[in-house]
Amino acid sequence: MPRVSICMSVRNQAEWFKESLKSVIDQTYKDWEMILVDDGSTEDIKSIVESFNDPRIHLTRWDENKGIPHGVNWAFQQAKTEYVQPLAADEVLETNKLERQVKLLDEDKSIQAVCGLPQMGVYGLPMGERPMHELYGFKAHNRNRYQWLLTFLNCDYVPIGSCSALWRREVFDDLGYFRTDLLSFSDHEWWVRFLEKYKVKMFNFRWAQSRPNQDAV
């Protein structure tokens, strides 16, 4: 069994999805599976998956769009590995992301998630290791649980985005999954529940990026 489950729900955005999928295939860490849900796409997601010809990618198609966050929740529920990597079609991973983050979680059992510099904003920011001062410049520095909760509850320039993180899968056994009655901010609400109990550690790496979306809430 692989050690990492990459969990994604996709609906259309075929060209972005192709780039996102390539960033998974190109990972230096190879011990992963991808649990992928096509949530009622009208674009041909299946042919893109088949073009990579990688048996680690497991595609499930839903003919009817169920919407956020049903697809990714279903993918999380299928994951039986040690670690979970969330991902969306408009996001890409830095090539060494999984290798570095698995090593960090293996070495420090006191933390349940690792994250790096924010991936939001201008697409094309430098990836990989960055100067330590950028942690503070992007307000992505480490802080205590109380300070993290204030950051999230006040929406005070939240530096954590889901695809930047790697989680221990076992936290889902305790916290459950993203709330399906929230059509936006479902990952934000989940992080609040996470931070009430668990510890995340930030590092001076930009491990992921997401495309700016003008239609986002």
Side-chain angles (χ1 to χ4, degrees):
M1 178 181 291
R3 300 190 68 200
V4 177
S5 292
I6 301 163
C7 297
M8 175 189 277
S9 179
V10 60
R11 182 170 186 259
N12 298 324
Q13 296 182 317
E15 287 304 312
W16 290 3
F17 169 66
K18 189 183 302 182
E19 184 178 0
S20 181
L21 193 52
K22 185 177 186 303
S23 78
V24 172
I25 300 292
D26 289 346
Q27 288 294 300
T28 56
Y29 187 83
K30 303 300 182 184
D31 193 14
W32 55 263
E33 65 174 357
M34 186 172 197
I35 304 171
L36 173 63
V37 177
D38 178 355
D39 187 16
S41 295
T42 57
E43 300 174 12
D44 191 358
I45 297 300
K46 182 180 179 181
S47 67
I48 295 174
V49 173
E50 290 176 342
S51 70
F52 285 92
N53 190 30
D54 195 314
R56 295 172 295 179
I57 304 172
H58 309 292
L59 173 64
T60 297
R61 173 172 168 77
W62 294 347
D63 291 331
E64 181 180 348
N65 172 242
K66 297 184 180 181
I68 298 171
H70 292 273
V72 72
N73 269 355
W74 186 88
F76 292 154
Q77 290 162 8
Q78 310 314 305
K80 307 301 180 190
T81 55
E82 292 177 69
Y83 302 123
V84 169
Q85 165 67 61
L87 190 61
D90 59 353
E91 298 170 330
V92 294
L93 305 180
E94 191 264 341
T95 306
N96 299 300
K97 180 186 193 294
L98 294 181
E99 182 176 1
R100 288 185 181 274
Q101 290 187 326
V102 166
K103 184 174 185 293
L104 290 166
L105 286 172
D106 282 348
E107 290 174 345
D108 189 346
K109 303 299 184 182
S110 72
I111 55 177
Q112 287 73 43
V114 290
C115 282
L117 291 165
Q119 75 268 22
M120 301 80 73
V122 180
Y123 192 71
L125 290 171
M127 299 272 269
E129 187 171 8
R130 304 296 302 150
M132 183 63 73
H133 67 77
E134 289 194 12
L135 275 178
Y136 294 89
F138 284 95
K139 296 185 178 180
H141 53 284
N142 287 290
R143 57 203 84 174
N144 64 39
R145 182 174 291 112
Y146 174 75
Q147 291 169 327
W148 270 124
L149 287 170
L150 286 179
T151 297
F152 271 79
L153 292 172
N154 293 323
C155 294
D156 181 20
Y157 197 85
V158 177
I160 293 178
S162 291
C163 78
S164 176
L166 188 69
W167 301 321
R168 297 191 192 275
R169 190 208 55 79
E170 61 193 22
V171 301
F172 288 113
D173 297 335
D174 180 33
L175 300 178
Y177 303 93
F178 291 174
R179 280 179 48 179
T180 56
D181 59 336
L182 294 176
L183 300 181
S184 61
F185 286 99
S186 55
D187 58 340
H188 187 104
E189 187 274 339
W190 186 88
W191 271 110
V192 172
R193 284 187 277 135
F194 176 96
L195 291 164
E196 287 180 310
K197 287 190 172 185
Y198 296 120
K199 183 178 177 181
V200 60
K201 189 167 183 180
M202 309 296 289
F203 290 89
N204 57 315
F205 288 80
R206 182 167 288 108
W207 277 311
Q209 284 202 40
S210 59
R211 291 178 180 271
N213 183 355
Q214 296 180 350
D215 298 325
V217 175

